[in-house]
Amino acid sequence: METTSRFFSGFTPNDLWFLAEAAGRTLWISILSIGFGTVLGVFFGWALSVTKTAGTLTIAPILDIFRSVPLIIQLVLFFNFAPMIGLRLSPFDAGVIILTIYTAALVSNVARAGIEAVGMPMRRSARSLGMSYWQDMRYVVWPIGLRAVFPSWIGVALGVMKDSALVSVLGYVELLKASQILITRTQDTLLILAIAGAFYFALSYPISLYASKLEERWSQ
Amino acid sequence: MNYNFHWRPVMKALPELLEAALLTLQVAALSMVLGVLIGLGLSLIRMHMKGPVRWLATTWVELARNTPALFQLFFFGFGLGAVGVHLTPYLIVLIALTFNNAGYLAENFRGGFKAVPDTQIRASRSLGMTAFQAYTRIVIPQVLRIVYYPMTNQMVWAVLISSLGMLVGFRELSGETQFFASKTFRIFEYFAITAVIYYVIVKIILGAASLLSKRLFRY
């Protein structure tokens, strides 16, 4: 006969599905932010590389702020600032917006390095062969620059995917938050943390392996 | 905008916040020192050893690099707590940061070691140096020069992720800010000041690092 009632119910296969769904949300918020952020970041990187001093004095310091302040502070600040200017944002929206700007700040550096990796003589010869500025960008700078910085872009993307765990602080139920909810219910702390960690690892490790293989192959 | 900013309570709390900022710097710097030592060890193990020790080092590096820092913090905080190892918030943050730093730095060091050609070790061995001497006098100084900038970035990163300490109850800069913010509900004002403080800390670290590099790498 059971003399004590149990508050906590054990870990069930259903909970694994709950975690998998949450991993899907982590993936979704990451894909959105990395996608938007990369487009923005490439634009900023291009702007930085064409407007030498003007860019360094205007966009660069602003982007620098997002790299120098902890992401968690940025999220809390923005989430509390948005209502002041009359924006009603869900944790998801606020998370996507901040992660996008954060990604853009990181990618702008990568993109700029990529553009600058293509030597001036090569670009001049492209132009003197009759290519327009955009043709030179599309057929010369893009393929060469991409090769030079693609691995570091993957590094940034993986970093953002991992940093998306911080959106849990705003209350968005992504993988880490889901694991916390389950821990509160089941008290199986180690098991659930291990599963959550395994999900993150499974999302990140294959891509980082692929990136390092790629880097090795291209550096030969 | 229908919001009245109240900066006075924040200014009153500024001395405490700055003191907490010193704690942030302290834990980040300590985790860097430990991370560099362990990272060096991990990269050497991964290059020279075989068997379970190498497997352990590889696991460490891959886990540190492929899971979120916040997850690592929770693991050392709540995970170890669940099996009866109760650490103080300071230790949780220090251990998690060290774990993370060591993993990332080990990868950087590996790149650095690769950049120093083997012939130099053979040359120094044939000049009569022991293997230990060859490493400490010839190889590691060059590796440190190569990984200097990645190390600076890692230090900045350590300061930034130490902010996660507020989620395990550590009263460093973010934790202290959270404490004041929840006392007064002036969340935006407190975190705005904290953001400025972090920005200044990062700039100071980068400035100091570039000054130091001018002195260190004169030749």
Side-chain angles (χ1 to χ4, degrees):
Chain A
M1 197 179 102
E2 249 183 77
T3 49
T4 50
S5 62
R6 276 172 57 83
F7 280 108
F8 309 119
S9 48
F11 189 77
T12 63
N14 262 340
D15 298 335
L16 202 61
W17 178 242
F18 180 66
L19 281 178
E21 263 183 340
R25 279 195 289 273
T26 285
L27 201 59
W28 176 231
I29 199 171
S30 313
I31 288 173
L32 278 182
S33 332
I34 294 167
F36 293 142
T38 301
V39 173
L40 257 181
V42 169
F43 172 74
F44 285 139
W46 168 77
L48 282 173
S49 75
V50 273
T51 58
K52 293 273 181 238
T53 33
T56 346
L57 291 176
T58 52
I59 330 170
I62 296 173
L63 291 177
D64 191 45
I65 292 174
F66 290 93
R67 286 191 298 258
S68 310
V69 173
L71 189 60
I72 194 170
I73 306 281
Q74 294 178 32
L75 286 166
V76 172
L77 264 181
F78 183 67
F79 197 54
N80 283 287
F81 176 72
M84 291 181 203
I85 53 171
L87 282 173
R88 279 156 180 267
L89 292 178
S90 68
F92 178 79
D93 301 335
V96 169
I97 291 171
I98 286 298
L99 278 176
T100 296
I101 301 174
Y102 180 69
T103 313
L106 294 172
V107 169
S108 69
N109 260 358
V110 174
R112 181 193 199 168
I115 293 171
E116 279 165 7
V118 185
M120 223 37 204
M122 190 166 333
R123 301 192 55 183
R124 288 212 189 92
S125 33
R127 294 304 298 276
S128 46
L129 284 172
M131 286 187 175
S132 70
Y133 180 79
W134 293 111
Q135 278 176 329
D136 160 44
M137 271 291 174
R138 167 69 187 79
Y139 296 105
V140 178
V141 177
W142 175 257
I144 299 174
L146 188 66
R147 251 171 184 246
V149 295
F150 189 65
S152 37
W153 177 78
I154 289 190
V156 168
L158 286 179
V160 172
M161 196 274 284
K162 283 177 276 167
D163 287 341
S164 75
L166 297 186
V167 182
S168 62
V169 176
L170 305 183
Y172 181 60
V173 185
E174 42 66 73
L175 185 48
L176 204 60
K177 181 80 181 175
S179 72
Q180 296 254 286
I181 293 171
L182 280 186
I183 287 169
T184 315
R185 205 203 71 214
T186 63
Q187 300 290 304
D188 272 338
T189 312
L190 265 185
L191 173 71
I192 290 165
L193 272 181
I195 295 173
F199 269 117
Y200 276 113
F201 196 78
L203 289 175
S204 164
Y205 184 63
I207 302 175
S208 81
L209 209 60
Y210 167 72
S212 60
K213 284 266 161 15
L214 211 61
E215 203 171 359
E216 230 164 70
R217 190 143 43 98
W218 284 354
S219 67
Q220 276 166 8
Chain B
M1 190 146 73
N2 278 328
Y3 188 87
N4 295 317
F5 289 100
H6 289 269
W7 295 101
R8 193 168 298 145
V10 186
M11 286 307 156
K12 243 194 245 165
L14 200 57
E16 272 108 325
L17 289 181
L18 288 176
E19 216 168 288
L22 282 182
L23 190 60
T24 286
L25 260 182
Q26 187 203 344
V27 75
L30 200 55
S31 77
M32 258 320 264
V33 173
L34 294 172
V36 167
L37 293 175
I38 299 174
L40 261 178
L42 287 177
S43 65
L44 285 173
I45 288 173
R46 289 186 73 190
M47 283 187 306
H48 295 300
M49 285 171 118
K50 288 199 162 39
V53 188
R54 183 203 168 111
W55 182 86
L56 215 65
T58 306
T59 309
W60 181 325
V61 172
E62 297 302 350
L63 276 182
R65 289 166 55 87
N66 288 304
T67 56
L70 185 56
F71 164 78
Q72 292 161 19
L73 198 69
F74 281 175
F75 182 82
F76 288 112
F78 309 136
L80 288 188
V83 291
V85 184
H86 296 284
L87 304 170
T88 61
Y90 182 89
L91 271 181
I92 295 173
V93 174
L94 180 63
I95 293 174
L97 275 182
T98 304
F99 178 78
N100 191 281
N101 282 340
Y104 277 90
L105 288 170
E107 252 335 71
N108 291 334
F109 286 138
R110 205 163 65 126
F113 279 118
K114 262 192 195 159
V116 180
D118 277 346
T119 44
Q120 290 198 12
I121 299 181
R122 268 178 260 151
S124 41
R125 292 303 298 278
S126 61
L127 284 174
M129 289 186 183
T130 63
F132 184 74
Q133 282 174 327
Y135 258 98
T136 50
R137 298 187 189 176
I138 306 293
V139 179
I140 289 181
Q142 297 183 69
V143 170
L144 284 183
R145 186 177 294 212
I146 297 167
V147 299
Y148 186 78
Y149 287 102
M151 259 165 71
T152 317
N153 285 337
Q154 191 65 34
M155 176 65 196
V156 169
W157 178 237
V159 168
L160 295 188
I161 57 177
S162 72
S163 65
L164 302 180
M166 76 185 209
L167 299 175
V168 292
F170 183 39
R171 292 268 293 271
E172 39 65 71
L173 183 48
S174 298
E176 192 77 0
T177 310
Q178 167 98 324
F179 173 74
F180 278 113
S182 52
K183 249 190 356 191
T184 58
F185 290 109
R186 293 285 152 198
I187 299 171
F188 182 81
E189 287 91 329
Y190 274 108
F191 276 94
I193 291 292
T194 301
V196 174
I197 298 176
Y198 271 112
Y199 184 79
V200 172
I201 291 177
V202 168
K203 289 296 141 189
I204 289 174
I205 291 172
L206 292 176
S210 88
L211 277 181
L212 194 66
S213 77
K214 284 199 182 94
R215 262 202 83 73
L216 282 175
F217 308 136
R218 268 174 303 183
Y219 310 109

